[in-house]
């Protein structure tokens, strides 16, 4: 028997994400992509997390041919993310996600953050999610309805401290 230290695991996930972001920022093309993405993606997508469609709308290279620079899409999504609240901050919650590749990740959000922020987080941490033309999030329980309105808050949708899965729009 062993006991999982969730706080230690969470800190390790955050450390790795920060290291990945630092490495991407250090690379010349990733830095340029981040700057371009921040300028071109100043607002969350109006519907779902349509990364390639949003890339085409923003005029990112390759969007017209369907060959979207996924790292630029991920950088843009990361740039749109609201600041992560501190551990135990008032009005904060933790949301976990099951990604298309089977990984489970989690992050703290404010209960006033929107569904669009959740979608941006998924895009920023998952190449598979960033590559999907569209997707929706839903609670990881049978029969759960997708979170259809990107402007709704976590409090309004009732998904604070929930486990969410990515549902593709096929």
């Amino acid at each position: 028997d062993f006991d999982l230290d969730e706080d230690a695991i969470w800190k390790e996930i955050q450390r790795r994400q920060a290291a990945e972001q630092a490495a991407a920022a250090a690379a010349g093309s990733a830095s340029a992509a981040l700057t371009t993405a921040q300028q071109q993606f100043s607002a969350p997508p109006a519907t779902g997390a349509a990364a390639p469609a949003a890339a085409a709308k923003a005029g990112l290279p390759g969007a017209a041919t369907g060959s979207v620079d996924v790292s630029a899409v991920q950088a843009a999504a990361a740039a749109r993310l609201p600041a992560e609240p501190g551990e135990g901050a008032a009005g904060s919650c933790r949301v976990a996600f099951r990604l298309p590749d089977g990984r489970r990740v989690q992050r703290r959000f404010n209960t006033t953050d929107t569904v669009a922020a959740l979608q941006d987080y998924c895009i920023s941490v998952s190449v598979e999610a960033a590559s999907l033309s569209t997707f929706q999030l839903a609670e990881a329980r049978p029969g759960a309805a997708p979170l259809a309105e990107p402007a709704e808050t976590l409090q309004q949708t009732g998904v604070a401290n929930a486990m969410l899965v990515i549902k593709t729009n096929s």
Side-chain angles (χ1 to χ4, degrees):
D1 264 282
F2 62 91
D3 188 22
L4 294 178
D5 183 355
E6 287 188 25
D7 287 331
I9 293 169
W10 180 241
K11 286 178 184 173
E12 178 63 16
I13 290 170
Q14 288 177 316
R15 185 194 65 74
R16 287 182 185 183
Q17 288 173 343
E20 288 173 6
Q21 289 173 351
S29 63
S31 179
L34 176 60
T35 302
T36 301
Q38 286 173 328
Q39 292 169 351
Q40 294 178 339
F41 284 89
S42 59
T47 60
K57 182 177 178 184
L60 286 179
T65 63
S67 172
V68 176
D69 180 0
V70 174
S71 63
V73 172
Q74 287 185 290
R80 288 191 302 265
L81 279 174
E84 184 172 9
E87 183 70 37
S92 70
C93 63
R94 193 174 282 184
V95 180
F97 303 86
R98 178 71 61 199
L99 301 176
D101 64 4
R103 287 184 300 140
R104 179 185 178 272
V105 296
Q106 59 183 351
R107 183 186 190 271
R108 284 186 304 275
F109 291 90
N110 286 309
T111 56
T112 56
D113 289 336
T114 64
V115 170
L118 300 178
Q119 293 169 329
D120 284 337
Y121 177 71
C122 290
I123 291 169
S124 73
V125 299
S126 171
V127 171
E128 293 84 0
S131 300
L132 292 171
S133 60
T134 60
F135 71 83
Q136 291 181 316
L137 296 170
E139 283 191 75
R141 58 179 174 79
L147 305 178
E149 184 52 52
E152 285 188 332
T153 66
L154 277 62
Q155 187 172 25
Q156 289 171 322
T157 59
V159 297
N161 298 310
M163 168 66 103
L164 303 178
V165 295
I166 292 177
K167 298 202 176 236
T168 60
N169 300 331
S170 344

